Amino acid sequence: MQAPTLRDVYEAKKTIAPYLARTPLHYSAGLSEVLQAQVYLKHDEYLPLGAFKARGGINLLAHLSPEERAQGVITASTGNHGQSIAYACRLFGVRALITLPEKANPLKVAALRSLGAELIFHGANFDQAKAHCERLAVEEGYRYVHPANEPLLIAGVATQTLEVIEDLPEVEAIFVPLGGGSGVSGACIVAKALDPRIRVVAVQSEAAPAGYLSWKRGELVEAKMETFAEGVATGAGYELPQSILRQHLDDFVLVSDDQIRYAIGLLVEKAHTLAEAAGAAALAGALKCGEALRGKKVSIAVSGANITLEQLVEAMKVYRGW
């Protein structure tokens, strides 16, 4: 696997443009007051699927050969990655099969069905669903799409950071949540190519720290996966993103699940923004950094809005101290 370059990201931008509108980067007065910094939110929850992953799915499907499209595409997901592949498959007329954990987010399951994907439920968590997906790909001959070890996916989602820097060239720090690592590795590729002074910070739940541990130790690590934030709930580090992170990532912050819940509530009250758990994780990381961000221009990714009512209620309980 070859890591994508900045040129690949610009190519992805052209590929995606006919299908996805550019998302806004909005200054948040409320969050700026809280963090004592100039805080901008990158609103990828505005995308049609309510998540940033749509960028990668379109870029990958657009580049598949006719033979690969004829095979049909299979992938594993907790929801948002699967939606991105299903959405792109519908655009390009390709059969989409998605394996999910048996208790996957019902909002994301409904969205996948509405996109015409064939759903396969297997296992208690993402890694079990992924292992089943990989077996099916071999047995049935589908084109398997890895959730992170795909250069075209990374180049596609990296367009998020490209838009941030185009809109705010003087940005000093970019916070991005990490699950498999496509979003953060894409941010590293773009930021370090355009302005190496920009700090890229990854944020992950301490209840599913495989990505953090893999980065910290310099080798792929498996770890517990007990977070409620399904979008960052992976049990192992992945080769391609981790190779990029080891070279370019500036910092990595672990946050508790309750800190993520608090960030969900803070986004609602201070920025009138609805985010799912993974979508609010970047803000939780910025809050934990606190004093280090004072006076700086900071971009925080709001990477998804697919939250259930039950999750929102629990988040507001934490935020309000109920």
Side-chain angles (χ1 to χ4, degrees):
M1 292 174 293
Q2 186 71 33
T5 65
L6 183 62
R7 181 185 293 273
D8 295 323
V9 180
Y10 276 109
E11 286 295 324
K13 180 182 177 182
K14 290 190 291 185
T15 298
I16 295 166
Y19 307 101
L20 296 177
R22 186 186 186 93
T23 61
L25 182 72
H26 285 164
Y27 174 76
S28 172
L31 293 177
S32 294
E33 183 178 10
V34 170
L35 283 165
Q36 293 296 292
Q38 297 179 53
V39 176
Y40 295 78
L41 297 179
K42 180 57 173 171
H43 285 286
D44 264 26
E45 86 281 12
Y46 285 18
L47 289 170
L49 303 176
F52 79 106
K53 297 268 189 181
R55 299 171 181 269
I58 291 174
N59 193 49
L60 186 139
L61 263 293
H63 286 87
L64 291 188
S65 67
E67 293 76 20
E68 288 175 310
R69 293 182 185 183
Q71 288 174 328
V73 167
I74 191 168
T75 195
S77 177
T78 55
N80 286 341
H81 166 66
Q83 286 186 72
S84 79
I85 298 302
Y87 182 76
C89 282
R90 189 176 69 170
L91 287 176
F92 293 99
V94 178
R95 183 185 181 195
L97 298 95
I98 315 294
T99 62
L100 304 103
E102 291 169 357
K103 295 183 179 180
N105 181 318
L107 290 181
K108 296 177 182 180
V109 170
L112 283 165
R113 288 201 169 107
S114 70
L115 291 168
E118 300 172 40
L119 306 187
I120 303 162
F121 295 92
H122 183 90
N125 56 48
F126 170 74
D127 281 9
Q128 292 176 10
K130 176 174 169 289
H132 184 62
C133 173
E134 291 170 348
R135 287 194 296 271
L136 289 176
V138 172
E139 293 169 2
E140 304 295 333
Y142 304 123
R143 201 296 191 179
Y144 173 56
V145 178
H146 192 280
N149 288 336
E150 295 276 1
L152 289 166
L153 281 183
I154 292 175
V157 299
T159 59
Q160 178 194 68
T161 300
L162 183 59
E163 291 175 7
V164 168
I165 297 174
E166 287 175 343
D167 289 345
L168 188 68
E170 62 273 26
V171 64
E172 295 172 85
I174 297 176
F175 283 77
V176 186
L178 185 141
S182 62
V184 179
S185 58
C188 285
I189 288 166
V190 173
K192 297 310 175 182
L194 293 177
D195 185 351
R197 296 171 299 177
I198 298 172
R199 291 181 59 80
V200 179
V201 183
V203 184
Q204 188 170 49
S205 171
E206 63 187 22
Y212 169 80
L213 294 174
S214 297
W215 174 74
K216 193 76 172 176
R217 297 177 187 175
E219 60 183 7
L220 300 185
V221 171
E222 295 183 2
K224 65 180 180 178
M225 189 169 44
E226 299 169 353
T227 179
F228 83 107
E230 70 270 4
V232 293
T234 51
Y238 296 134
E239 180 183 351
L240 181 56
Q242 284 292 329
S243 68
I244 297 167
L245 300 185
R246 284 194 292 271
Q247 186 175 0
H248 295 301
L249 185 66
D250 293 293
D251 200 4
F252 206 134
V253 179
L254 289 179
V255 294
S256 70
D257 276 7
D258 274 354
Q259 286 171 326
I260 294 175
R261 291 186 177 98
Y262 183 87
I264 292 171
L266 191 65
L267 280 167
V268 170
E269 183 168 68
K270 298 295 185 180
H272 314 296
T273 295
L274 185 65
E276 64 186 271
L283 174 59
L287 290 169
K288 191 168 182 178
C289 288
E291 181 68 27
L293 300 180
R294 189 178 295 271
K296 296 186 181 299
K297 291 187 177 179
V298 180
S299 169
I300 297 174
V302 183
S303 55
N306 297 303
I307 188 170
T308 66
L309 182 58
E310 292 76 15
Q311 289 170 339
L312 181 59
V313 169
E314 285 302 311
M316 296 312 297
K317 287 179 180 178
V318 170
Y319 180 65
R320 289 297 193 187
W322 293 341

